[in-house]
Amino acid sequence: FPVTIGALNFRYTRFGWQTKPNLTAALFMGEDGQAWQAKIFGEDGQAWLKTYQSQGKRTGQYMAPKDIGDKPYLPTIPHEIARKTAAKVSPLLESSLLEWFANKGLFWDWFQQHQEIPLIITEGAKKALAAISQGHIALSLYGCHCGAKDLTVKPELLPYVQNRPVIIGFDRDLQPETRHKVFKAIKRLATAISVHAKGQPSYRDWE
């Protein structure tokens, strides 16, 4: 529990009058080694299971580090997936990437410099990881409204979408009201990518 609190930049009082619960958490770590989000499970790691079984609710609660803003999730891209992605563009790009890795460079720093590589933007870390496992380059936002404001791409996301083909793959919700809100957010982000970032946005549904 103290490790999770530290990763989220929360204040933790070790000695006090109140007993702290025992919690279990899964941390989503970025390539830079920083926590992007934690999925907190219940006391002794079992309350989440009881809730799920008795009420049918989602397991766990998602929490982001304090004061992180709308930073996108930039997970570690396996070197082989990154290499194959670069090789699809050109042998020169593949050589550039291999040299970058040999010099201990981070993938996402290299990625910003090569705008010919398509990017998938998802809503939720697990979807980004699923897309990466299928051989794509993907990052995640905390939610569908975290990528753009009005016609401007938020500064945390901008370096990764400028002048680039971008595929928006947000949640496919069942409730009509929620789907309408997500559709409006997709339209806002796509417009901002096109007008502000000069990128080439498109949209894909999850199956």
Side-chain angles (χ1 to χ4, degrees):
F1 181 59
V3 174
T4 302
I5 291 297
L8 297 177
N9 299 321
F10 289 172
R11 182 180 178 184
Y12 178 74
T13 303
R14 186 177 180 185
F15 300 105
W17 294 104
Q18 184 178 10
T19 302
K20 301 294 191 298
N22 294 318
L23 301 175
T24 301
L27 291 176
F28 293 97
M29 307 297 292
E31 186 188 32
D32 59 2
Q34 300 298 310
W36 181 77
Q37 192 176 59
K39 188 170 186 179
I40 310 287
F41 299 102
E43 186 169 345
D44 296 323
Q46 294 299 318
W48 67 271
L49 182 59
K50 295 177 183 178
T51 299
Y52 178 77
Q53 292 176 334
S54 64
Q55 302 178 24
K57 294 182 179 180
R58 291 184 177 182
T59 60
Q61 175 185 4
Y62 288 100
M63 299 183 73
K66 184 179 179 181
D67 299 326
I68 196 174
D70 287 323
K71 178 182 177 180
Y73 177 45
L74 306 173
T76 298
I77 307 294
H79 282 200
E80 185 61 14
I81 290 177
R83 185 195 65 76
K84 288 182 178 179
T85 299
K88 288 178 182 178
V89 178
S90 74
L92 288 177
L93 197 63
E94 180 184 10
S95 298
S96 168
L97 176 64
L98 294 176
E99 182 180 357
W100 186 269
F101 281 154
N103 291 319
K104 309 299 182 184
L106 297 179
F107 171 79
W108 289 103
D109 292 339
W110 177 87
F111 180 79
Q112 292 182 48
Q113 304 172 28
H114 297 281
Q115 298 166 335
E116 61 270 49
I117 300 176
L119 172 69
I120 296 176
I121 299 179
T122 72
E123 181 186 353
K126 291 186 288 186
K127 295 183 184 68
L129 295 174
I132 292 168
S133 73
Q134 297 299 309
H136 305 287
I137 304 302
L139 59 75
S140 172
L141 304 177
Y142 285 116
C144 63
H145 298 291
C146 295
K149 184 176 181 180
D150 300 325
L151 296 180
T152 302
V153 177
K154 292 191 175 181
E156 299 91 340
L157 178 63
L158 183 60
Y160 305 99
V161 300
Q162 283 183 313
N163 302 304
R164 184 186 304 278
V166 179
I167 300 167
I168 303 171
F170 285 168
D171 288 356
R172 186 179 182 181
D173 295 278
L174 297 179
Q175 297 181 356
E177 182 179 352
T178 304
R179 294 190 70 168
H180 179 67
K181 291 180 180 178
V182 173
F183 175 77
K184 289 177 64 177
I186 291 170
K187 186 176 180 181
R188 183 187 305 113
L189 179 58
T191 302
I193 290 174
S194 178
V195 174
H196 178 215
K198 309 302 179 185
Q200 303 89 50
S202 60
Y203 172 71
R204 297 291 187 277
D205 257 339
W206 289 88
E207 294 184 357

